[in-house]
PDB file of all heavy atoms in Angstrom:
ATOM      1  N   PRO J 139      23.715   5.535-111.369  1.00 87.00           N
ATOM      2  CA  PRO J 139      23.676   4.140-110.924  1.00 87.00           C
ATOM      3  C   PRO J 139      23.354   3.201-112.080  1.00 87.00           C
ATOM      4  O   PRO J 139      22.810   3.611-113.113  1.00 87.00           O
ATOM      5  CB  PRO J 139      22.559   4.137-109.881  1.00 87.00           C
ATOM      6  CG  PRO J 139      21.687   5.289-110.257  1.00 87.00           C
ATOM      7  CD  PRO J 139      22.612   6.334-110.824  1.00 87.00           C
ATOM      8  N   SER J 140      23.704   1.948-111.901  1.00 82.00           N
ATOM      9  CA  SER J 140      23.501   0.966-112.972  1.00 82.00           C
ATOM     10  C   SER J 140      22.023   0.720-113.239  1.00 82.00           C
ATOM     11  O   SER J 140      21.647   0.304-114.331  1.00 82.00           O
ATOM     12  CB  SER J 140      24.194  -0.355-112.623  1.00 82.00           C
ATOM     13  OG  SER J 140      23.728  -0.836-111.371  1.00 82.00           O
ATOM     14  N   GLY J 141      21.183   0.960-112.257  1.00 77.00           N
ATOM     15  CA  GLY J 141      19.747   0.809-112.458  1.00 77.00           C
ATOM     16  C   GLY J 141      18.996   1.946-111.804  1.00 77.00           C
ATOM     17  O   GLY J 141      19.426   2.480-110.783  1.00 77.00           O
ATOM     18  N   ASN J 142      17.883   2.349-112.396  1.00 77.00           N
ATOM     19  CA  ASN J 142      17.051   3.416-111.846  1.00 77.00           C
ATOM     20  C   ASN J 142      15.606   2.945-111.765  1.00 77.00           C
ATOM     21  O   ASN J 142      15.192   2.074-112.539  1.00 77.00           O
ATOM     22  CB  ASN J 142      17.113   4.658-112.739  1.00 77.00           C
ATOM     23  CG  ASN J 142      18.346   5.497-112.509  1.00 77.00           C
ATOM     24  OD1 ASN J 142      18.507   6.116-111.469  1.00 77.00           O
ATOM     25  ND2 ASN J 142      19.236   5.520-113.497  1.00 77.00           N
ATOM     26  N   PRO J 143      14.824   3.511-110.853  1.00 78.00           N
ATOM     27  CA  PRO J 143      13.386   3.221-110.875  1.00 78.00           C
ATOM     28  C   PRO J 143      12.801   3.583-112.235  1.00 78.00           C
ATOM     29  O   PRO J 143      13.311   4.481-112.905  1.00 78.00           O
ATOM     30  CB  PRO J 143      12.832   4.128-109.768  1.00 78.00           C
ATOM     31  CG  PRO J 143      13.988   4.394-108.872  1.00 78.00           C
ATOM     32  CD  PRO J 143      15.194   4.423-109.769  1.00 78.00           C
ATOM     33  N   PRO J 144      11.740   2.894-112.650  1.00 71.00           N
ATOM     34  CA  PRO J 144      11.165   3.188-113.965  1.00 71.00           C
ATOM     35  C   PRO J 144      10.626   4.602-114.040  1.00 71.00           C
ATOM     36  O   PRO J 144      10.221   5.185-113.039  1.00 71.00           O
ATOM     37  CB  PRO J 144      10.030   2.160-114.090  1.00 71.00           C
ATOM     38  CG  PRO J 144       9.706   1.772-112.679  1.00 71.00           C
ATOM     39  CD  PRO J 144      10.999   1.853-111.937  1.00 71.00           C
ATOM     40  N   SER J 145      10.662   5.152-115.246  1.00 63.00           N
ATOM     41  CA  SER J 145      10.174   6.514-115.463  1.00 63.00           C
ATOM     42  C   SER J 145       8.656   6.495-115.430  1.00 63.00           C
ATOM     43  O   SER J 145       8.002   6.089-116.379  1.00 63.00           O
ATOM     44  CB  SER J 145      10.667   7.032-116.819  1.00 63.00           C
ATOM     45  OG  SER J 145      10.192   8.323-117.068  1.00 63.00           O
ATOM     46  N   SER J 146       8.099   6.951-114.297  1.00 56.00           N
ATOM     47  CA  SER J 146       6.645   6.863-114.119  1.00 56.00           C
ATOM     48  C   SER J 146       6.022   8.195-113.726  1.00 56.00           C
ATOM     49  O   SER J 146       4.851   8.246-113.412  1.00 56.00           O
ATOM     50  CB  SER J 146       6.330   5.834-113.031  1.00 56.00           C
ATOM     51  OG  SER J 146       6.841   6.279-111.792  1.00 56.00           O
ATOM     52  N   ASN J 147       6.842   9.258-113.734  1.00 54.00           N
ATOM     53  CA  ASN J 147       6.395  10.574-113.258  1.00 54.00           C
ATOM     54  C   ASN J 147       5.945  10.538-111.807  1.00 54.00           C
ATOM     55  O   ASN J 147       5.232  11.407-111.348  1.00 54.00           O
ATOM     56  CB  ASN J 147       5.262  11.129-114.130  1.00 54.00           C
ATOM     57  CG  ASN J 147       5.783  11.657-115.446  1.00 54.00           C
ATOM     58  OD1 ASN J 147       6.942  12.041-115.549  1.00 54.00           O
ATOM     59  ND2 ASN J 147       4.938  11.674-116.459  1.00 54.00           N
ATOM     60  N   SER J 148       6.366   9.506-111.093  1.00 48.00           N
ATOM     61  CA  SER J 148       6.054   9.429-109.669  1.00 48.00           C
ATOM     62  C   SER J 148       7.243   8.899-108.891  1.00 48.00           C
ATOM     63  O   SER J 148       7.117   8.501-107.750  1.00 48.00           O
ATOM     64  CB  SER J 148       4.855   8.502-109.434  1.00 48.00           C
ATOM     65  OG  SER J 148       3.734   8.956-110.145  1.00 48.00           O
ATOM     66  N   GLY J 149       8.414   8.897-109.524  1.00 44.00           N
ATOM     67  CA  GLY J 149       9.559   8.191-108.969  1.00 44.00           C
ATOM     68  C   GLY J 149      10.042   8.709-107.639  1.00 44.00           C
ATOM     69  O   GLY J 149      10.525   7.947-106.817  1.00 44.00           O
ATOM     70  N   GLY J 150       9.976  10.019-107.397  1.00 44.00           N
ATOM     71  CA  GLY J 150      10.550  10.547-106.172  1.00 44.00           C
ATOM     72  C   GLY J 150       9.550  10.852-105.098  1.00 44.00           C
ATOM     73  O   GLY J 150       9.887  11.513-104.132  1.00 44.00           O
ATOM     74  N   GLY J 151       8.317  10.397-105.254  1.00 55.00           N
ATOM     75  CA  GLY J 151       7.271  10.827-104.351  1.00 55.00           C
ATOM     76  C   GLY J 151       7.444  10.409-102.913  1.00 55.00           C
ATOM     77  O   GLY J 151       6.952  11.071-102.017  1.00 55.00           O
ATOM     78  N   GLY J 152       8.136   9.311-102.651  1.00 72.00           N
ATOM     79  CA  GLY J 152       8.244   8.828-101.285  1.00 72.00           C
ATOM     80  C   GLY J 152       9.649   8.467-100.876  1.00 72.00           C
ATOM     81  O   GLY J 152       9.833   7.503-100.149  1.00 72.00           O
ATOM     82  N   LEU J 153      10.631   9.199-101.351  1.00 85.00           N
ATOM     83  CA  LEU J 153      12.024   8.887-101.047  1.00 85.00           C
ATOM     84  C   LEU J 153      12.306   9.097 -99.560  1.00 85.00           C
ATOM     85  O   LEU J 153      11.999  10.142 -99.007  1.00 85.00           O
ATOM     86  CB  LEU J 153      12.944   9.767-101.887  1.00 85.00           C
ATOM     87  CG  LEU J 153      14.447   9.466-101.810  1.00 85.00           C
ATOM     88  CD1 LEU J 153      14.750   8.079-102.368  1.00 85.00           C
ATOM     89  CD2 LEU J 153      15.243  10.525-102.569  1.00 85.00           C
ATOM     90  N   GLU J 154      12.923   8.092 -98.921  1.00 90.00           N
ATOM     91  CA  GLU J 154      13.244   8.183 -97.500  1.00 90.00           C
ATOM     92  C   GLU J 154      14.490   7.355 -97.228  1.00 90.00           C
ATOM     93  O   GLU J 154      14.778   6.392 -97.945  1.00 90.00           O
ATOM     94  CB  GLU J 154      12.068   7.677 -96.660  1.00 90.00           C
ATOM     95  CG  GLU J 154      12.219   7.889 -95.168  1.00 90.00           C
ATOM     96  CD  GLU J 154      12.445   9.340 -94.808  1.00 90.00           C
ATOM     97  OE1 GLU J 154      11.481  10.128 -94.801  1.00 90.00           O
ATOM     98  OE2 GLU J 154      13.619   9.675 -94.544  1.00 90.00           O
ATOM     99  N   TYR J 155      15.244   7.743 -96.189  1.00 93.00           N
ATOM    100  CA  TYR J 155      16.491   7.050 -95.852  1.00 93.00           C
ATOM    101  C   TYR J 155      16.277   6.119 -94.666  1.00 93.00           C
ATOM    102  O   TYR J 155      15.681   6.513 -93.655  1.00 93.00           O
ATOM    103  CB  TYR J 155      17.580   8.068 -95.524  1.00 93.00           C
ATOM    104  CG  TYR J 155      18.900   7.436 -95.139  1.00 93.00           C
ATOM    105  CD1 TYR J 155      19.631   6.710 -96.077  1.00 93.00           C
ATOM    106  CD2 TYR J 155      19.402   7.554 -93.852  1.00 93.00           C
ATOM    107  CE1 TYR J 155      20.841   6.126 -95.725  1.00 93.00           C
ATOM    108  CE2 TYR J 155      20.609   6.982 -93.497  1.00 93.00           C
ATOM    109  CZ  TYR J 155      21.326   6.262 -94.443  1.00 93.00           C
ATOM    110  OH  TYR J 155      22.528   5.684 -94.093  1.00 93.00           O
ATOM    111  N   ASP J 156      16.760   4.876 -94.807  1.00 91.00           N
ATOM    112  CA  ASP J 156      16.707   3.882 -93.747  1.00 91.00           C
ATOM    113  C   ASP J 156      18.111   3.762 -93.152  1.00 91.00           C
ATOM    114  O   ASP J 156      18.985   3.137 -93.750  1.00 91.00           O
ATOM    115  CB  ASP J 156      16.247   2.539 -94.312  1.00 91.00           C
ATOM    116  CG  ASP J 156      16.172   1.444 -93.262  1.00 91.00           C
ATOM    117  OD1 ASP J 156      16.683   1.651 -92.144  1.00 91.00           O
ATOM    118  OD2 ASP J 156      15.625   0.373 -93.560  1.00 91.00           O
ATOM    119  N   PRO J 157      18.378   4.379 -91.981  1.00 87.00           N
ATOM    120  CA  PRO J 157      19.738   4.375 -91.448  1.00 87.00           C
ATOM    121  C   PRO J 157      20.217   3.007 -90.989  1.00 87.00           C
ATOM    122  O   PRO J 157      21.407   2.717 -91.005  1.00 87.00           O
ATOM    123  CB  PRO J 157      19.649   5.359 -90.262  1.00 87.00           C
ATOM    124  CG  PRO J 157      18.214   5.348 -89.865  1.00 87.00           C
ATOM    125  CD  PRO J 157      17.439   5.134 -91.129  1.00 87.00           C
ATOM    126  N   ARG J 158      19.304   2.136 -90.601  1.00 84.00           N
ATOM    127  CA  ARG J 158      19.730   0.824 -90.103  1.00 84.00           C
ATOM    128  C   ARG J 158      20.278  -0.039 -91.236  1.00 84.00           C
ATOM    129  O   ARG J 158      21.220  -0.810 -91.048  1.00 84.00           O
ATOM    130  CB  ARG J 158      18.555   0.140 -89.404  1.00 84.00           C
ATOM    131  CG  ARG J 158      18.972  -0.931 -88.444  1.00 84.00           C
ATOM    132  CD  ARG J 158      17.788  -1.352 -87.589  1.00 84.00           C
ATOM    133  NE  ARG J 158      17.602  -0.500 -86.432  1.00 84.00           N
ATOM    134  CZ  ARG J 158      18.314  -0.593 -85.306  1.00 84.00           C
ATOM    135  NH1 ARG J 158      19.272  -1.489 -85.223  1.00 84.00           N
ATOM    136  NH2 ARG J 158      18.074   0.189 -84.283  1.00 84.00           N
ATOM    137  N   ARG J 159      19.687   0.093 -92.434  1.00 87.00           N
ATOM    138  CA  ARG J 159      20.167  -0.673 -93.585  1.00 87.00           C
ATOM    139  C   ARG J 159      21.045   0.157 -94.515  1.00 87.00           C
ATOM    140  O   ARG J 159      21.546  -0.346 -95.501  1.00 87.00           O
ATOM    141  CB  ARG J 159      18.967  -1.235 -94.367  1.00 87.00           C
ATOM    142  CG  ARG J 159      18.174  -2.261 -93.576  1.00 87.00           C
ATOM    143  CD  ARG J 159      16.866  -2.612 -94.248  1.00 87.00           C
ATOM    144  NE  ARG J 159      16.120  -3.600 -93.492  1.00 87.00           N
ATOM    145  CZ  ARG J 159      15.386  -3.332 -92.416  1.00 87.00           C
ATOM    146  NH1 ARG J 159      15.306  -2.086 -91.992  1.00 87.00           N
ATOM    147  NH2 ARG J 159      14.750  -4.282 -91.772  1.00 87.00           N
ATOM    148  N   ASN J 160      21.179   1.446 -94.197  1.00 90.00           N
ATOM    149  CA  ASN J 160      22.025   2.349 -94.975  1.00 90.00           C
ATOM    150  C   ASN J 160      21.600   2.383 -96.439  1.00 90.00           C
ATOM    151  O   ASN J 160      22.419   2.285 -97.349  1.00 90.00           O
ATOM    152  CB  ASN J 160      23.503   1.943 -94.863  1.00 90.00           C
ATOM    153  CG  ASN J 160      24.435   2.972 -95.465  1.00 90.00           C
ATOM    154  OD1 ASN J 160      24.097   4.161 -95.564  1.00 90.00           O
ATOM    155  ND2 ASN J 160      25.606   2.534 -95.895  1.00 90.00           N
ATOM    156  N   VAL J 161      20.290   2.518 -96.680  1.00 92.00           N
ATOM    157  CA  VAL J 161      19.771   2.609 -98.042  1.00 92.00           C
ATOM    158  C   VAL J 161      18.670   3.661 -98.098  1.00 92.00           C
ATOM    159  O   VAL J 161      18.018   3.964 -97.085  1.00 92.00           O
ATOM    160  CB  VAL J 161      19.203   1.263 -98.563  1.00 92.00           C
ATOM    161  CG1 VAL J 161      20.290   0.223 -98.715  1.00 92.00           C
ATOM    162  CG2 VAL J 161      18.074   0.763 -97.680  1.00 92.00           C
ATOM    163  N   HIS J 162      18.464   4.216 -99.285  1.00 93.00           N
ATOM    164  CA  HIS J 162      17.342   5.098 -99.562  1.00 93.00           C
ATOM    165  C   HIS J 162      16.246   4.252-100.205  1.00 93.00           C
ATOM    166  O   HIS J 162      16.515   3.412-101.075  1.00 93.00           O
ATOM    167  CB  HIS J 162      17.765   6.227-100.501  1.00 93.00           C
ATOM    168  CG  HIS J 162      18.824   7.109 -99.898  1.00 93.00           C
ATOM    169  ND1 HIS J 162      18.545   8.314 -99.300  1.00 93.00           N
ATOM    170  CD2 HIS J 162      20.168   6.932 -99.797  1.00 93.00           C
ATOM    171  CE1 HIS J 162      19.657   8.851 -98.857  1.00 93.00           C
ATOM    172  NE2 HIS J 162      20.652   8.039 -99.138  1.00 93.00           N
ATOM    173  N   VAL J 163      15.008   4.485 -99.778  1.00 91.00           N
ATOM    174  CA  VAL J 163      13.871   3.691-100.228  1.00 91.00           C
ATOM    175  C   VAL J 163      12.871   4.600-100.928  1.00 91.00           C
ATOM    176  O   VAL J 163      12.602   5.707-100.460  1.00 91.00           O
ATOM    177  CB  VAL J 163      13.180   2.981 -99.042  1.00 91.00           C
ATOM    178  CG1 VAL J 163      12.066   2.066 -99.540  1.00 91.00           C
ATOM    179  CG2 VAL J 163      14.191   2.202 -98.231  1.00 91.00           C
ATOM    180  N   VAL J 164      12.343   4.138-102.071  1.00 86.00           N
ATOM    181  CA  VAL J 164      11.349   4.922-102.791  1.00 86.00           C
ATOM    182  C   VAL J 164      10.261   3.995-103.315  1.00 86.00           C
ATOM    183  O   VAL J 164      10.529   2.848-103.688  1.00 86.00           O
ATOM    184  CB  VAL J 164      11.990   5.712-103.961  1.00 86.00           C
ATOM    185  CG1 VAL J 164      12.523   4.781-105.043  1.00 86.00           C
ATOM    186  CG2 VAL J 164      11.001   6.706-104.556  1.00 86.00           C
ATOM    187  N   TYR J 165       9.039   4.505-103.299  1.00 81.00           N
ATOM    188  CA  TYR J 165       7.895   3.772-103.849  1.00 81.00           C
ATOM    189  C   TYR J 165       7.447   4.472-105.122  1.00 81.00           C
ATOM    190  O   TYR J 165       7.118   5.660-105.107  1.00 81.00           O
ATOM    191  CB  TYR J 165       6.743   3.746-102.837  1.00 81.00           C
ATOM    192  CG  TYR J 165       5.462   3.161-103.385  1.00 81.00           C
ATOM    193  CD1 TYR J 165       5.410   1.839-103.825  1.00 81.00           C
ATOM    194  CD2 TYR J 165       4.310   3.929-103.464  1.00 81.00           C
ATOM    195  CE1 TYR J 165       4.242   1.299-104.326  1.00 81.00           C
ATOM    196  CE2 TYR J 165       3.128   3.396-103.953  1.00 81.00           C
ATOM    197  CZ  TYR J 165       3.097   2.084-104.381  1.00 81.00           C
ATOM    198  OH  TYR J 165       1.938   1.555-104.873  1.00 81.00           O
ATOM    199  N   THR J 166       7.463   3.748-106.235  1.00 76.00           N
ATOM    200  CA  THR J 166       7.016   4.315-107.510  1.00 76.00           C
ATOM    201  C   THR J 166       5.537   3.987-107.682  1.00 76.00           C
ATOM    202  O   THR J 166       5.156   2.838-107.879  1.00 76.00           O
ATOM    203  CB  THR J 166       7.834   3.756-108.690  1.00 76.00           C
ATOM    204  OG1 THR J 166       7.695   2.346-108.739  1.00 76.00           O
ATOM    205  CG2 THR J 166       9.307   4.103-108.518  1.00 76.00           C
ATOM    206  N   VAL J 167       4.727   5.034-107.593  1.00 72.00           N
ATOM    207  CA  VAL J 167       3.281   4.854-107.532  1.00 72.00           C
ATOM    208  C   VAL J 167       2.734   4.206-108.803  1.00 72.00           C
ATOM    209  O   VAL J 167       1.979   3.226-108.757  1.00 72.00           O
ATOM    210  CB  VAL J 167       2.593   6.210-107.291  1.00 72.00           C
ATOM    211  CG1 VAL J 167       1.080   6.044-107.255  1.00 72.00           C
ATOM    212  CG2 VAL J 167       3.106   6.834-106.011  1.00 72.00           C
ATOM    213  N   ALA J 168       3.092   4.757-109.957  1.00 69.00           N
ATOM    214  CA  ALA J 168       2.507   4.283-111.210  1.00 69.00           C
ATOM    215  C   ALA J 168       2.860   2.832-111.490  1.00 69.00           C
ATOM    216  O   ALA J 168       2.094   2.109-112.121  1.00 69.00           O
ATOM    217  CB  ALA J 168       2.956   5.169-112.364  1.00 69.00           C
ATOM    218  N   ASN J 169       4.038   2.386-111.017  1.00 74.00           N
ATOM    219  CA  ASN J 169       4.484   1.022-111.293  1.00 74.00           C
ATOM    220  C   ASN J 169       4.256   0.075-110.127  1.00 74.00           C
ATOM    221  O   ASN J 169       4.499  -1.122-110.259  1.00 74.00           O
ATOM    222  CB  ASN J 169       5.963   1.028-111.656  1.00 74.00           C
ATOM    223  CG  ASN J 169       6.279   1.922-112.827  1.00 74.00           C
ATOM    224  OD1 ASN J 169       6.515   3.111-112.638  1.00 74.00           O
ATOM    225  ND2 ASN J 169       6.259   1.382-114.034  1.00 74.00           N
TER     226      ASN J 169
END
Side-chain angles (χ1 to χ4, degrees):
S140 56
N142 279 291
S145 179
S146 64
N147 284 335
S148 302
L153 187 64
E154 187 57 78
Y155 179 66
D156 180 348
R158 201 168 275 281
R159 294 169 179 79
N160 189 25
V161 294
H162 297 261
V163 185
V164 66
Y165 173 62
T166 59
V167 179
N169 303 87

